[in-house]
């Protein structure tokens, strides 16, 4: 079974630029989550999709972040315009059922804003 | 506010030297307590879920236990390949089904 795939694995952009991160969940997993880890801090929840619908976006830091999930398959997370404090590792996870049990995480995208 | 605190932040062990990692949580109505392992450059990998105080789960050299305020991950006779960051996360009943993560314990096991 293919795991959760994220790309790019690394991205370095300048402040003010736009970056789009992509996540391909495990096939058949309706639940898709975005998380972020800033250096030295805990993994923080950003957003939860159930199929193509946003179930919970309470963790999105501000309106510079836009997440979409096309047709309930892959998801993108766009940051526009990027700020220095957006640097961190962005993880995507998917699960068949809601809750933390059985989350499968991707390897993450390390975003550096300079 | 829900909080998960892990200690120590970092732990160095000699191969074969058993120890425990702590995860303290303040969550109103715990639904589940999760342990994950994270290797450098990888995402967290699910290890265990504990649902109620007194419950224990084991996997190879790892054993997770749960009380009403904390969870322990016991590592018996660790090997260098057990080196990783261990994360715990607490999920409360009701609400959004989104667990709260701790910052993790970075474990290094020296041969």
């Amino acid at each position: 079974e293919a795991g959760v795939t994220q790309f790019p694995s690394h991205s370095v952009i300048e402040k003010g630029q736009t970056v789009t991160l992509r996540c391909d969940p495990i096939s058949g997993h309706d639940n898709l989550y975005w998380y972020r880890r800033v250096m030295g801090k805990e993994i923080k929840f950003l957003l939860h999709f159930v199929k193509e619908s946003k179930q919970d976006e309470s963790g999105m830091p501000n309106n510079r972040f836009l997440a979409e999930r096309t047709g309930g398959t892959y998801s993108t997370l766009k940051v526009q315009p990027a700020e220095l404090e957006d640097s961190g590792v962005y993880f995507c996870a998917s699960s068949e059922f809601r809750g933390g049990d059985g989350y499968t995480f991707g390897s993450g995208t390390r975003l550096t804003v300079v | 506010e829900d909080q998960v605190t892990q200690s120590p932040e970092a732990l160095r062990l000699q191969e074969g030297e058993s120890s425990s990692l702590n995860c303290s949580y303040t969550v109103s109505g715990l639904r589940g307590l999760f342990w994950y392992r994270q290797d450098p450059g990888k995402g967290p990998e699910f290890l265990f879920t504990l649902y109620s105080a007194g419950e224990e789960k084991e996997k190879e050299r790892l054993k997770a236990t749960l009380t009403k305020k904390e969870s322990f991950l016991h590592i018996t006779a660790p090997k260098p390949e057990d080196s990783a960051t261990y994360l715990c996360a607490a999920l409360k009943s009701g609400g959004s089904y989104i667990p709260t993560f701790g910052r993790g314990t970075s474990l290094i096991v020296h041969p």
Side-chain angles (χ1 to χ4, degrees):
Chain A
E1 173 183 79
V4 176
T5 305
Q6 291 185 249
F7 50 92
S9 57
H10 294 83
S11 180
V12 181
I13 62 171
E14 291 184 354
K15 176 182 173 181
Q17 288 187 322
T18 297
V19 63
T20 300
L21 314 181
R22 173 167 169 151
C23 169
D24 286 72
I26 290 174
S27 178
H29 280 191
D30 288 342
N31 295 278
L32 186 149
Y33 312 84
W34 283 99
Y35 284 83
R36 177 174 71 176
R37 184 165 194 172
V38 173
M39 187 177 294
K41 303 279 189 177
E42 62 274 16
I43 294 174
K44 285 280 198 183
F45 166 75
L46 296 177
L47 179 85
H48 171 209
F49 282 101
V50 177
K51 297 185 179 179
E52 67 275 8
S53 300
K54 292 176 185 175
Q55 183 74 20
D56 183 349
E57 51 184 329
S58 61
M60 295 288 263
N62 51 60
N63 60 9
R64 295 185 293 102
F65 289 74
L66 175 64
E68 295 180 326
R69 188 176 183 192
T70 305
T73 56
Y74 71 92
S75 175
T76 58
L77 180 64
K78 181 191 291 187
V79 184
Q80 179 183 29
E83 298 288 345
L84 299 179
E85 63 264 25
D86 300 333
S87 296
V89 182
Y90 290 77
F91 290 104
C92 173
S94 72
S95 67
E96 188 176 0
F97 305 106
R98 291 191 296 175
D101 196 6
Y103 273 21
T104 302
F105 280 83
S107 293
T109 294
R110 180 174 295 277
L111 174 64
T112 303
V113 183
V114 296
Chain B
E1 183 182 337
D2 299 334
Q3 268 198 320
V4 176
T5 304
Q6 292 189 246
S7 62
E9 289 185 14
L11 181 63
R12 292 177 179 267
L13 299 173
Q14 288 297 125
E15 185 171 2
E17 179 187 2
S18 301
S19 188
S20 295
L21 313 182
N22 177 265
C23 170
S24 298
Y25 61 91
T26 51
V27 169
S28 53
L30 183 75
R31 180 183 180 91
L33 189 291
F34 312 103
W35 281 97
Y36 287 85
R37 169 190 171 127
Q38 185 175 16
D39 292 296
K42 298 289 181 74
E45 177 186 350
F46 173 74
L47 291 173
F48 305 109
T49 305
L50 301 166
Y51 292 103
S52 57
E55 187 175 2
E56 297 182 352
K57 293 272 180 77
E58 285 189 67
K59 181 179 181 179
E60 296 181 356
R61 295 174 292 282
L62 301 177
K63 182 169 80 172
T65 61
L66 181 66
T67 72
K68 289 187 177 180
K69 293 184 178 180
E70 56 193 351
S71 177
F72 293 93
L73 185 65
H74 307 277
I75 305 177
T76 302
K79 298 182 177 182
E81 54 262 42
D82 295 322
S83 298
T85 294
Y86 291 86
L87 300 164
C88 75
L91 180 69
K92 67 180 179 183
S93 299
S96 63
Y97 290 89
I98 302 298
T100 300
F101 280 84
R103 296 189 182 188
T105 293
S106 174
L107 173 66
I108 297 176
V109 182
H110 296 284

